[in-house]
PDB file of all heavy atoms in Angstrom:
ATOM      1  N   PRO R   4      71.897 105.148  41.283  1.00  0.00           N
ATOM      2  CA  PRO R   4      71.692 106.251  42.257  1.00  0.00           C
ATOM      3  C   PRO R   4      71.747 107.615  41.579  1.00  0.00           C
ATOM      4  O   PRO R   4      72.327 107.751  40.496  1.00  0.00           O
ATOM      5  CB  PRO R   4      72.851 106.073  43.245  1.00  0.00           C
ATOM      6  CG  PRO R   4      73.878 105.351  42.455  1.00  0.00           C
ATOM      7  CD  PRO R   4      73.148 104.463  41.514  1.00  0.00           C
ATOM      8  N   GLU R   6      72.668 111.771  41.517  1.00  0.00           N
ATOM      9  CA  GLU R   6      73.773 112.652  41.954  1.00  0.00           C
ATOM     10  C   GLU R   6      73.306 113.498  43.146  1.00  0.00           C
ATOM     11  O   GLU R   6      74.126 113.958  43.939  1.00  0.00           O
ATOM     12  CB  GLU R   6      74.227 113.556  40.838  1.00  0.00           C
ATOM     13  CG  GLU R   6      74.930 112.808  39.722  1.00  0.00           C
ATOM     14  CD  GLU R   6      75.413 113.735  38.621  1.00  0.00           C
ATOM     15  OE1 GLU R   6      75.417 114.958  38.817  1.00  0.00           O
ATOM     16  OE2 GLU R   6      75.791 113.205  37.553  1.00  0.00           O
ATOM     17  N   ARG R   7      71.994 113.700  43.254  1.00  0.00           N
ATOM     18  CA  ARG R   7      71.415 114.513  44.313  1.00  0.00           C
ATOM     19  C   ARG R   7      70.156 113.820  44.837  1.00  0.00           C
ATOM     20  O   ARG R   7      69.446 113.212  44.068  1.00  0.00           O
ATOM     21  CB  ARG R   7      71.074 115.912  43.841  1.00  0.00           C
ATOM     22  CG  ARG R   7      72.260 116.683  43.305  1.00  0.00           C
ATOM     23  CD  ARG R   7      71.885 118.043  42.790  1.00  0.00           C
ATOM     24  NE  ARG R   7      71.849 119.082  43.819  1.00  0.00           N
ATOM     25  CZ  ARG R   7      72.911 119.600  44.381  1.00  0.00           C
ATOM     26  NH1 ARG R   7      74.129 119.209  44.017  1.00  0.00           N
ATOM     27  NH2 ARG R   7      72.827 120.537  45.309  1.00  0.00           N
ATOM     28  N   LEU R  11      70.352 118.017  47.975  1.00  0.00           N
ATOM     29  CA  LEU R  11      71.626 117.673  48.598  1.00  0.00           C
ATOM     30  C   LEU R  11      72.462 116.719  47.717  1.00  0.00           C
ATOM     31  O   LEU R  11      71.943 115.748  47.191  1.00  0.00           O
ATOM     32  CB  LEU R  11      71.379 116.962  49.957  1.00  0.00           C
ATOM     33  CG  LEU R  11      70.595 117.799  50.969  1.00  0.00           C
ATOM     34  CD1 LEU R  11      70.381 116.978  52.245  1.00  0.00           C
ATOM     35  CD2 LEU R  11      71.289 119.096  51.276  1.00  0.00           C
ATOM     36  N   ALA R  15      78.056 109.318  48.924  1.00  0.00           N
ATOM     37  CA  ALA R  15      78.259 107.855  48.998  1.00  0.00           C
ATOM     38  C   ALA R  15      76.917 107.163  49.006  1.00  0.00           C
ATOM     39  O   ALA R  15      75.908 107.720  49.463  1.00  0.00           O
ATOM     40  CB  ALA R  15      79.054 107.479  50.249  1.00  0.00           C
ATOM     41  N   ILE R  18      73.581  99.717  48.026  1.00  0.00           N
ATOM     42  CA  ILE R  18      72.338  98.952  47.911  1.00  0.00           C
ATOM     43  C   ILE R  18      72.340  97.944  49.044  1.00  0.00           C
ATOM     44  O   ILE R  18      73.362  97.359  49.377  1.00  0.00           O
ATOM     45  CB  ILE R  18      72.268  98.282  46.543  1.00  0.00           C
ATOM     46  CG1 ILE R  18      72.121  99.328  45.450  1.00  0.00           C
ATOM     47  CG2 ILE R  18      71.088  97.293  46.505  1.00  0.00           C
ATOM     48  CD1 ILE R  18      72.224  98.795  44.047  1.00  0.00           C
ATOM     49  N   ILE R  19      71.181  97.760  49.673  1.00  0.00           N
ATOM     50  CA  ILE R  19      71.048  96.769  50.724  1.00  0.00           C
ATOM     51  C   ILE R  19      70.688  95.447  50.035  1.00  0.00           C
ATOM     52  O   ILE R  19      69.693  95.331  49.357  1.00  0.00           O
ATOM     53  CB  ILE R  19      69.946  97.170  51.734  1.00  0.00           C
ATOM     54  CG1 ILE R  19      70.242  98.556  52.344  1.00  0.00           C
ATOM     55  CG2 ILE R  19      69.808  96.117  52.814  1.00  0.00           C
ATOM     56  CD1 ILE R  19      71.556  98.685  53.048  1.00  0.00           C
ATOM     57  N   ALA R  21      72.225  90.918  50.009  1.00  0.00           N
ATOM     58  CA  ALA R  21      72.647  89.789  50.832  1.00  0.00           C
ATOM     59  C   ALA R  21      73.975  90.047  51.572  1.00  0.00           C
ATOM     60  O   ALA R  21      74.304  89.306  52.472  1.00  0.00           O
ATOM     61  CB  ALA R  21      72.799  88.531  49.952  1.00  0.00           C
ATOM     62  N   SER R  23      74.551  92.542  53.465  1.00  0.00           N
ATOM     63  CA  SER R  23      74.274  93.225  54.751  1.00  0.00           C
ATOM     64  C   SER R  23      73.006  92.663  55.372  1.00  0.00           C
ATOM     65  O   SER R  23      72.187  92.028  54.676  1.00  0.00           O
ATOM     66  CB  SER R  23      74.145  94.729  54.506  1.00  0.00           C
ATOM     67  OG  SER R  23      73.166  95.002  53.527  1.00  0.00           O
ATOM     68  N   GLY R  35      53.470 108.067  60.918  1.00  0.00           N
ATOM     69  CA  GLY R  35      52.791 107.362  61.991  1.00  0.00           C
ATOM     70  C   GLY R  35      52.942 105.846  61.980  1.00  0.00           C
ATOM     71  O   GLY R  35      52.432 105.153  62.861  1.00  0.00           O
ATOM     72  N   GLY R  39      59.767  99.812  56.979  1.00  0.00           N
ATOM     73  CA  GLY R  39      60.484  98.566  56.830  1.00  0.00           C
ATOM     74  C   GLY R  39      61.957  98.803  56.442  1.00  0.00           C
ATOM     75  O   GLY R  39      62.394  99.941  56.372  1.00  0.00           O
ATOM     76  N   PRO R  40      62.709  97.748  56.223  1.00  0.00           N
ATOM     77  CA  PRO R  40      64.115  97.911  55.825  1.00  0.00           C
ATOM     78  C   PRO R  40      64.251  98.669  54.514  1.00  0.00           C
ATOM     79  O   PRO R  40      63.376  98.585  53.632  1.00  0.00           O
ATOM     80  CB  PRO R  40      64.600  96.461  55.639  1.00  0.00           C
ATOM     81  CG  PRO R  40      63.640  95.627  56.476  1.00  0.00           C
ATOM     82  CD  PRO R  40      62.331  96.337  56.373  1.00  0.00           C
ATOM     83  N   ALA R  42      65.901  99.723  50.840  1.00  0.00           N
ATOM     84  CA  ALA R  42      66.455  99.057  49.672  1.00  0.00           C
ATOM     85  C   ALA R  42      67.849  99.572  49.386  1.00  0.00           C
ATOM     86  O   ALA R  42      68.662  98.849  48.781  1.00  0.00           O
ATOM     87  CB  ALA R  42      65.567  99.278  48.453  1.00  0.00           C
ATOM     88  N   ALA R  43      68.117 100.808  49.842  1.00  0.00           N
ATOM     89  CA  ALA R  43      69.437 101.430  49.589  1.00  0.00           C
ATOM     90  C   ALA R  43      69.634 102.532  50.645  1.00  0.00           C
ATOM     91  O   ALA R  43      68.669 102.995  51.254  1.00  0.00           O
ATOM     92  CB  ALA R  43      69.502 101.995  48.187  1.00  0.00           C
ATOM     93  N   LEU R  44      70.885 102.909  50.765  1.00  0.00           N
ATOM     94  CA  LEU R  44      71.251 104.042  51.660  1.00  0.00           C
ATOM     95  C   LEU R  44      72.093 105.035  50.873  1.00  0.00           C
ATOM     96  O   LEU R  44      72.827 104.642  49.972  1.00  0.00           O
ATOM     97  CB  LEU R  44      72.076 103.542  52.847  1.00  0.00           C
ATOM     98  CG  LEU R  44      71.469 102.478  53.755  1.00  0.00           C
ATOM     99  CD1 LEU R  44      72.501 102.019  54.792  1.00  0.00           C
ATOM    100  CD2 LEU R  44      70.219 103.020  54.444  1.00  0.00           C
ATOM    101  N   GLY R  53      76.925 119.389  58.244  1.00  0.00           N
ATOM    102  CA  GLY R  53      76.869 117.975  58.487  1.00  0.00           C
ATOM    103  C   GLY R  53      76.400 117.130  57.316  1.00  0.00           C
ATOM    104  O   GLY R  53      76.458 117.554  56.165  1.00  0.00           O
ATOM    105  N   LEU R  56      72.102 110.705  56.457  1.00  0.00           N
ATOM    106  CA  LEU R  56      72.034 109.319  56.016  1.00  0.00           C
ATOM    107  C   LEU R  56      70.583 109.039  55.662  1.00  0.00           C
ATOM    108  O   LEU R  56      69.684 109.091  56.490  1.00  0.00           O
ATOM    109  CB  LEU R  56      72.469 108.376  57.142  1.00  0.00           C
ATOM    110  CG  LEU R  56      72.265 106.889  56.926  1.00  0.00           C
ATOM    111  CD1 LEU R  56      73.082 106.383  55.748  1.00  0.00           C
ATOM    112  CD2 LEU R  56      72.575 106.106  58.197  1.00  0.00           C
ATOM    113  N   ASP R  68      65.499 109.665  57.257  1.00  0.00           N
ATOM    114  CA  ASP R  68      66.888 110.120  57.343  1.00  0.00           C
ATOM    115  C   ASP R  68      67.295 110.396  58.760  1.00  0.00           C
ATOM    116  O   ASP R  68      66.458 110.559  59.652  1.00  0.00           O
ATOM    117  CB  ASP R  68      67.127 111.345  56.435  1.00  0.00           C
ATOM    118  CG  ASP R  68      66.547 112.606  57.050  1.00  0.00           C
ATOM    119  OD1 ASP R  68      65.297 112.674  57.210  1.00  0.00           O
ATOM    120  OD2 ASP R  68      67.303 113.520  57.378  1.00  0.00           O
ATOM    121  N   THR R  69      68.588 110.410  58.968  1.00  0.00           N
ATOM    122  CA  THR R  69      69.193 110.832  60.219  1.00  0.00           C
ATOM    123  C   THR R  69      70.302 111.808  59.922  1.00  0.00           C
ATOM    124  O   THR R  69      70.900 111.767  58.846  1.00  0.00           O
ATOM    125  CB  THR R  69      69.792 109.608  61.009  1.00  0.00           C
ATOM    126  OG1 THR R  69      70.695 108.896  60.167  1.00  0.00           O
ATOM    127  CG2 THR R  69      68.680 108.671  61.459  1.00  0.00           C
ATOM    128  N   TRP R  70      70.542 112.777  60.815  1.00  0.00           N
ATOM    129  CA  TRP R  70      71.565 113.792  60.629  1.00  0.00           C
ATOM    130  C   TRP R  70      72.813 113.406  61.434  1.00  0.00           C
ATOM    131  O   TRP R  70      72.693 112.887  62.555  1.00  0.00           O
ATOM    132  CB  TRP R  70      71.075 115.159  61.103  1.00  0.00           C
ATOM    133  CG  TRP R  70      72.123 116.205  60.948  1.00  0.00           C
ATOM    134  CD1 TRP R  70      72.353 116.956  59.862  1.00  0.00           C
ATOM    135  CD2 TRP R  70      73.096 116.607  61.931  1.00  0.00           C
ATOM    136  NE1 TRP R  70      73.414 117.829  60.077  1.00  0.00           N
ATOM    137  CE2 TRP R  70      73.904 117.633  61.338  1.00  0.00           C
ATOM    138  CE3 TRP R  70      73.386 116.201  63.212  1.00  0.00           C
ATOM    139  CZ2 TRP R  70      74.960 118.234  62.020  1.00  0.00           C
ATOM    140  CZ3 TRP R  70      74.429 116.804  63.907  1.00  0.00           C
ATOM    141  CH2 TRP R  70      75.184 117.796  63.285  1.00  0.00           C
ATOM    142  N   THR R  73      79.554 114.093  61.038  1.00  0.00           N
ATOM    143  CA  THR R  73      80.626 113.662  60.129  1.00  0.00           C
ATOM    144  C   THR R  73      80.173 112.483  59.272  1.00  0.00           C
ATOM    145  O   THR R  73      79.218 111.788  59.598  1.00  0.00           O
ATOM    146  CB  THR R  73      81.894 113.231  60.903  1.00  0.00           C
ATOM    147  OG1 THR R  73      81.587 112.016  61.611  1.00  0.00           O
ATOM    148  CG2 THR R  73      82.375 114.303  61.886  1.00  0.00           C
ATOM    149  N   VAL R  74      80.902 112.268  58.167  1.00  0.00           N
ATOM    150  CA  VAL R  74      80.641 111.100  57.335  1.00  0.00           C
ATOM    151  C   VAL R  74      80.877 109.815  58.141  1.00  0.00           C
ATOM    152  O   VAL R  74      80.080 108.859  58.018  1.00  0.00           O
ATOM    153  CB  VAL R  74      81.549 111.111  56.076  1.00  0.00           C
ATOM    154  CG1 VAL R  74      81.457 109.804  55.306  1.00  0.00           C
ATOM    155  CG2 VAL R  74      81.214 112.274  55.173  1.00  0.00           C
ATOM    156  N   GLU R  78      78.275 106.764  58.531  1.00  0.00           N
ATOM    157  CA  GLU R  78      78.627 105.391  58.187  1.00  0.00           C
ATOM    158  C   GLU R  78      78.481 104.471  59.400  1.00  0.00           C
ATOM    159  O   GLU R  78      78.046 103.312  59.252  1.00  0.00           O
ATOM    160  CB  GLU R  78      80.016 105.317  57.624  1.00  0.00           C
ATOM    161  CG  GLU R  78      80.142 105.919  56.224  1.00  0.00           C
ATOM    162  CD  GLU R  78      81.541 105.913  55.640  1.00  0.00           C
ATOM    163  OE1 GLU R  78      82.509 105.637  56.406  1.00  0.00           O
ATOM    164  OE2 GLU R  78      81.658 106.180  54.444  1.00  0.00           O
ATOM    165  N   GLU R  86      74.164  95.604  59.409  1.00  0.00           N
ATOM    166  CA  GLU R  86      75.466  94.960  59.648  1.00  0.00           C
ATOM    167  C   GLU R  86      76.056  94.523  58.308  1.00  0.00           C
ATOM    168  O   GLU R  86      75.401  93.873  57.498  1.00  0.00           O
ATOM    169  CB  GLU R  86      75.271  93.791  60.570  1.00  0.00           C
ATOM    170  CG  GLU R  86      76.549  93.062  60.908  1.00  0.00           C
ATOM    171  CD  GLU R  86      76.289  91.911  61.853  1.00  0.00           C
ATOM    172  OE1 GLU R  86      75.164  91.371  61.874  1.00  0.00           O
ATOM    173  OE2 GLU R  86      77.210  91.580  62.586  1.00  0.00           O
ATOM    174  N   SER R  89      79.300  98.460  55.843  1.00  0.00           N
ATOM    175  CA  SER R  89      80.540  99.243  55.785  1.00  0.00           C
ATOM    176  C   SER R  89      81.422  98.819  54.621  1.00  0.00           C
ATOM    177  O   SER R  89      82.190  99.621  54.072  1.00  0.00           O
ATOM    178  CB  SER R  89      81.337  99.100  57.076  1.00  0.00           C
ATOM    179  OG  SER R  89      80.641  99.681  58.150  1.00  0.00           O
ATOM    180  N   ALA R  90      81.301  97.578  54.174  1.00  0.00           N
ATOM    181  CA  ALA R  90      82.126  97.059  53.101  1.00  0.00           C
ATOM    182  C   ALA R  90      81.541  97.336  51.706  1.00  0.00           C
ATOM    183  O   ALA R  90      82.189  97.037  50.721  1.00  0.00           O
ATOM    184  CB  ALA R  90      82.334  95.553  53.284  1.00  0.00           C
ATOM    185  N   TRP R  92      79.993 100.507  50.598  1.00  0.00           N
ATOM    186  CA  TRP R  92      79.810 101.919  50.195  1.00  0.00           C
ATOM    187  C   TRP R  92      80.501 102.187  48.865  1.00  0.00           C
ATOM    188  O   TRP R  92      81.630 101.734  48.640  1.00  0.00           O
ATOM    189  CB  TRP R  92      80.378 102.872  51.245  1.00  0.00           C
ATOM    190  CG  TRP R  92      79.521 103.012  52.449  1.00  0.00           C
ATOM    191  CD1 TRP R  92      79.845 102.552  53.703  1.00  0.00           C
ATOM    192  CD2 TRP R  92      78.250 103.614  52.556  1.00  0.00           C
ATOM    193  NE1 TRP R  92      78.824 102.847  54.588  1.00  0.00           N
ATOM    194  CE2 TRP R  92      77.837 103.496  53.886  1.00  0.00           C
ATOM    195  CE3 TRP R  92      77.380 104.222  51.634  1.00  0.00           C
ATOM    196  CZ2 TRP R  92      76.603 103.990  54.327  1.00  0.00           C
ATOM    197  CZ3 TRP R  92      76.176 104.715  52.105  1.00  0.00           C
ATOM    198  CH2 TRP R  92      75.777 104.570  53.432  1.00  0.00           C
ATOM    199  N   THR R  94      81.746 105.480  46.842  1.00  0.00           N
ATOM    200  CA  THR R  94      81.939 106.915  46.984  1.00  0.00           C
ATOM    201  C   THR R  94      81.744 107.602  45.648  1.00  0.00           C
ATOM    202  O   THR R  94      82.275 107.103  44.617  1.00  0.00           O
ATOM    203  CB  THR R  94      83.357 107.212  47.523  1.00  0.00           C
ATOM    204  OG1 THR R  94      83.477 106.496  48.777  1.00  0.00           O
ATOM    205  CG2 THR R  94      83.541 108.682  47.772  1.00  0.00           C
TER     206      THR R  94
END
Side-chain angles (χ1 to χ4, degrees):
E6 291 181 13
R7 301 179 85 73
L11 302 178
I18 294 172
I19 303 302
S23 56
L44 302 174
L56 170 63
D68 74 297
T69 54
W70 178 88
T73 68
V74 171
E78 289 178 349
E86 182 179 26
S89 294
W92 285 111
T94 303

